[in-house]
Amino acid sequence: MSTKTKSLKGVRDNRIKVAVEVDHNVRVVQPPQEFIPQQKPGLEGCPPGHAVGPAQGAVSKFEKTFFTLTVQQAIENGPYDIIIVGTGIGGGVLASDLYETNSELGDSAKSILVIEKGGLVFHTHCLNTSRPEGLSNNRGQQNDTFFALFKDDYNITSPDGTWKGGPIHCVGGRSAAWGLFAPRVHEDTLRRWFPKHVAMQLNDTYFEAAEKLFKLSQPKTEPVHKRLIDDLNESADASFKVNWKWGRIASEFKDERNFDFAEGAYSTIDKLLEIMMSKPYVSADSKERQEHPNFKMLLRTEVRKIQFDSAKRATGVIVKAGDGAEGLLIPLKPDGKVILSAGSVTSPAILMRSDVDLSQTGAGMITDHDILYRALSFVYLNTQDRDKVGSMKLQTHFDMDDSDHQYGLANMSIDASSFLPRTNIVDKNLPQMIMSFILPCPLEKKCSIIMEDDEPKVDIVRTEAYDKTERKRYVKRMRDVTESAVNAIEKNLKVKFIDRDGLKDGCYLSYLELGAVAHELGSLPMPGIGSNTRHAVDESLKLSTGHEGVYVCDLSIFPTSPEANPTLTLAALAIRLSRTLVPRYERRPVDAVDKIVSLAKL
C-alpha cells in the first residue's frame, strides 16, 4: 500500500542524529542508559502507556447523566458562532471564559460548541484524588504515574529514543495531570521573542487574570523559611540575579471562609463540569436535563478537518463519532469561528488534512526545552527539625551567563514532593534537595511534523540552540547557583548533605527526557522578533494563511520555548483570545447601587 505524505518541517535535509555535546560538568550526553525510561506497568489488562480511561471503555453513569449530546444532535442544534476543539488549558480556559461572558450578554449570547476527543476520565486534577501506593515513602507527586497510565502516544521519532510525551484524550486534557507550577515568563524572554503588543498585554492584564483564575497559593512563611529565603538571596553572587521566592502553585490550599472547602489543584475539568452539571431540567418534575441554549459539549468525537468554502472561509468541522461514523459535518454560522486547541501535534494535523498550506509559515518546528536537574540527600543535625521546617518549594529566575544575559528558571524542592527522578541518592528515605533548571531556546528548525496515511508523524530533536562553549558557561552558572543554595541550606536549616562531594566531581547534572513534562510547543507559531518572523497565526492567534474564521489556542502558538512552565502564559493567551472574540463589558458600580435603591423604594 502506498503511503501518502505531507510535510511540515523546519530543516530536514542532511539531518544528523543529534548527540548534544556538553562539557564534562554534565553527567549525561544525550541521556545515559539509567535515564532511558523503563516501561511502567499499566492497569490490569492494559499495556504500558495505553490510554485506559472511559474513552477506551464503557461510559460512566456520571458522563451519561451530564454529557448527553450526540453528534447528530450537535448537527441539528447548529450552526454555531464558535466551535472549540479540545479542552486542555487552551481550549478549556477559553470555553469557560466565553461561558461567563455569555451569561452577561442575554439575547446577544454566542452559540458555542466544545468538542473533546476523549471522555470523562477524571472529575478533577489527579492530585486532588487518591494516588498510587508508596506516596508516603518517596514524597512523589505521582503526576508522571498518572500521565504515563492515561496518555496516548504520538507517532514520534527522537534521536535517543527517550521521548516521554503524548496527549491525554479526556475532558481537561493534560491539565488533569500537569500544569501546577505557574511562573510568569521572564520579561526579557517576552521582549526577545514575543510580539511587542502581545507581551505588553500579557504583562498589563492577562497574566494577572490567569493567576486569579488559577487561585495561585503560597504556603505560610515561618521564621525559619524567611531566614533561608533571605540568605539564599543575600549570599548568592550578585551576577546570578536570583530572587528566590515560594514556588507559584496553581492550587487553593485552603479557603479563608469557614466551612468552605479549598478547591485544590487547578484543572480545566472543574469549571467545565460545573457548567455541564448546571444544565436545567426539562421540567420541574423531570429528572431529564436539557442542553444549555448557547453552550454545548460533545465528547468522544474527533475533529478530523475543517471545511472551507471557495473563499477559504471556514463553514464547519468534519468529525468522526465515537461509534465510528465518519465524514459528519457540524456547521458554523457564516461569520463563525473554529478555535483549534487540540495540541501541538493534532492542531497542525487537522489543518494539513484540511489542505491548508503551512509550508511558508514556519509551522512544524515542535520544540521542547532543556531541563537539567540534580537530587542530593541530606540529614538534619537535630532530627526534630525536619517536622518544624516541613517541605519547601522555591523558584527564581537566574541570569544564565554574564555575556548575553538570558534568563533561565531554577526550581528547588526541599524535602518536598516532586515528579523529578531521584537518582544517585544515598537513601530514598532521607530528605532530598532537588534542583532543576529550565533553559529557554528558540524553535528548533530540525524538528518537523509530517502526515503519513492522514495521521501525524513527529520528528523531534534536542535543541541545538547552544554551542559547546555556550553550554559549558551555562552549566557552570547552574553549578554555582546549586552550590550557593546548598551552602545556605546547610547554614540555615542545620543540615548535612550526605553526598555533597558529588558536587565537586564535575558530574552532577542530568538531562530530563524530552517530553517528560509535556512542554512541547511552537508548531504553529505567532510572529516572533527579529529574524524569527515566519508565523502560522498572527498576533490575534488567527490563522495567517489567507483562510478566514480559524484561530489556534494551544501550546503550538508559542514563538519560542520559554524558560518557564508554559501553562500560565497559555491560560493568559486563552483569556485574551476570549475577550477579543467576545468583548466583555464591565458593569458600572453605580448600576448595582441604583438597583438596590430602587428595590428599597418598593
Side-chain angles (χ1 to χ4, degrees), residues 291-394:
E291 297 295 332
H292 287 297
N294 292 302
F295 188 97
K296 297 173 176 60
M297 281 191 68
L298 180 61
L299 304 190
R300 302 173 183 273
T301 302
E302 180 186 3
V303 173
R304 296 293 293 172
K305 61 177 69 173
I306 300 170
Q307 178 170 285
F308 296 97
D309 62 18
S310 58
K312 294 187 176 181
R313 173 169 288 279
T315 59
V317 295
I318 297 174
V319 304
K320 178 180 180 180
D323 61 6
E326 298 187 54
L328 306 174
L329 174 65
I330 300 178
L332 274 177
K333 291 182 180 179
D335 58 347
K337 298 170 179 63
V338 175
I339 294 93
L340 295 178
S341 299
S344 294
V345 173
T346 304
S347 287
I350 291 171
L351 292 173
M352 285 190 283
R353 287 194 200 101
S354 308
D355 293 325
V356 175
D357 183 6
L358 296 169
S359 61
Q360 302 303 312
T361 66
M365 296 185 290
I366 187 168
T367 303
D368 193 14
H369 45 205
D370 281 342
I371 301 179
L372 295 90
Y373 69 96
R374 173 72 187 198
L376 295 166
S377 305
F378 64 88
V379 294
Y380 281 91
L381 301 182
N382 181 347
T383 56
Q384 294 181 347
D385 287 345
R386 184 177 186 181
D387 289 334
K388 294 178 182 178
V389 174
S391 299
M392 299 183 70
K393 287 191 175 185
L394 305 175

Side-chain angles (χ1 to χ4, degrees), residues 89-90 93 178-186 202-203 205-216 248-250 266 395 397 519 555 558 562 564-576:
I89 289 293
V93 170
W178 295 117
L180 295 189
F181 271 109
R184 294 188 181 191
V185 172
H186 195 277
L202 288 173
N203 279 325
T205 303
Y206 294 109
F207 274 148
E208 185 176 350
E211 289 163 352
K212 183 178 179 180
L213 173 69
F214 283 1
K215 296 184 180 294
L216 287 187
R248 297 156 56 85
I249 307 295
Y266 176 82
Q395 284 184 331
H397 282 95
H519 291 179
L555 291 181
F558 278 59
N565 179 317
T567 302
L568 181 75
T569 305
L570 178 55
L573 290 167
I575 296 171
R576 174 179 175 266

Side-chain angles (χ1 to χ4, degrees), residues 395-459:
Q395 284 184 331
T396 182
H397 282 95
F398 69 99
D399 191 333
M400 291 165 52
D401 181 65
D402 294 334
S403 61
D404 58 13
H405 298 295
Q406 288 197 83
Y407 285 84
L409 184 72
N411 300 274
M412 187 193 324
S413 294
I414 303 173
D415 200 15
S417 62
S418 175
F419 62 87
L420 290 173
R422 292 166 179 251
T423 56
N424 298 318
I425 57 177
V426 176
D427 184 341
K428 68 178 182 180
N429 294 313
L430 292 177
Q432 312 293 324
M433 186 272 272
I434 303 179
M435 184 76 82
S436 66
F437 299 93
I438 305 178
L439 307 185
C441 66
L443 301 182
E444 178 53 58
K445 294 181 179 180
K446 289 188 176 181
C447 298
S448 64
I449 301 174
I450 65 173
M451 298 294 287
E452 291 188 351
D453 293 328
D454 228 21
E455 298 300 332
K457 180 180 179 182
V458 181
D459 201 348

Side-chain angles (χ1 to χ4, degrees), residues 46-356:
C46 296
H50 183 74
V52 296
Q56 277 66 41
V59 180
S60 69
K61 183 175 181 180
F62 192 96
E63 183 179 328
K64 287 180 180 179
T65 301
F66 297 107
F67 295 87
T68 57
L69 189 71
T70 67
V71 173
Q72 187 58 42
Q73 289 170 337
I75 294 171
E76 293 170 356
N77 282 309
Y80 298 92
D81 290 302
I82 298 172
I83 297 177
I84 300 171
V85 183
T87 59
I89 289 293
V93 170
L94 174 66
S96 299
D97 197 72
L98 286 170
Y99 177 84
E100 291 185 1
T101 302
N102 254 356
S103 67
E104 302 176 0
L105 296 180
D107 293 340
S108 300
K110 303 297 182 181
S111 58
I112 298 168
L113 175 66
V114 181
I115 303 177
E116 167 58 49
K117 181 178 180 179
L120 184 65
V121 178
F122 301 97
H123 290 196
T124 184
H125 195 286
C126 70
L127 295 188
N128 297 330
T129 66
S130 299
R131 272 161 283 167
E133 185 179 359
L135 173 65
S136 59
N137 294 327
N138 62 24
R139 292 177 177 249
Q141 291 179 184
Q142 304 294 330
N143 306 63
D144 54 338
T145 302
F146 277 93
F147 183 51
L149 287 175
F150 288 91
K151 76 179 182 70
D152 282 333
D153 293 319
Y154 297 130
N155 180 7
I156 193 163
T157 301
S158 62
D160 51 31
T162 60
W163 178 262
K164 292 185 67 177
I168 300 181
H169 293 125
C170 66
V171 176
R174 295 192 301 201
S175 78
W178 295 117
L180 295 189
F181 271 109
R184 294 188 181 191
V185 172
H186 195 277
E187 288 188 4
D188 179 75
T189 304
L190 291 175
R191 177 183 59 80
R192 287 175 184 250
W193 297 103
F194 282 72
K196 183 177 180 180
H197 186 62
V198 174
M200 181 184 68
Q201 288 187 318
L202 288 173
N203 279 325
D204 290 350
T205 303
Y206 294 109
F207 274 148
E208 185 176 350
E211 289 163 352
K212 183 178 179 180
L213 173 69
F214 283 1
K215 296 184 180 294
L216 287 187
S217 296
Q218 293 187 345
K220 182 179 179 181
T221 304
E222 301 290 353
V224 64
H225 302 143
K226 186 177 186 306
R227 286 196 299 271
L228 174 59
I229 293 172
D230 287 346
D231 195 37
L232 282 167
N233 292 322
E234 293 168 2
S235 62
D237 190 293
S239 65
F240 298 173
K241 297 182 181 177
V242 298
N243 184 21
W244 287 102
K245 296 179 180 179
W246 287 111
R248 297 156 56 85
I249 307 295
S251 175
E252 185 181 59
F253 295 125
K254 63 179 181 178
D255 197 302
E256 298 299 334
R257 296 164 295 185
N258 288 338
F259 307 109
D260 241 357
F261 294 102
E263 295 185 15
Y266 176 82
S267 169
T268 61
I269 302 169
D270 298 81
K271 181 63 177 180
L272 294 173
L273 275 185
E274 287 177 3
I275 294 171
M276 301 314 292
M277 291 170 68
S278 69
K279 292 194 298 186
Y281 289 103
V282 173
S283 63
D285 58 350
S286 173
K287 293 184 178 181
E288 183 181 353
R289 294 176 183 268
Q290 57 185 327
E291 297 295 332
H292 287 297
N294 292 302
F295 188 97
K296 297 173 176 60
M297 281 191 68
L298 180 61
L299 304 190
R300 302 173 183 273
T301 302
E302 180 186 3
V303 173
R304 296 293 293 172
K305 61 177 69 173
I306 300 170
Q307 178 170 285
F308 296 97
D309 62 18
S310 58
K312 294 187 176 181
R313 173 169 288 279
T315 59
V317 295
I318 297 174
V319 304
K320 178 180 180 180
D323 61 6
E326 298 187 54
L328 306 174
L329 174 65
I330 300 178
L332 274 177
K333 291 182 180 179
D335 58 347
K337 298 170 179 63
V338 175
I339 294 93
L340 295 178
S341 299
S344 294
V345 173
T346 304
S347 287
I350 291 171
L351 292 173
M352 285 190 283
R353 287 194 200 101
S354 308
D355 293 325
V356 175

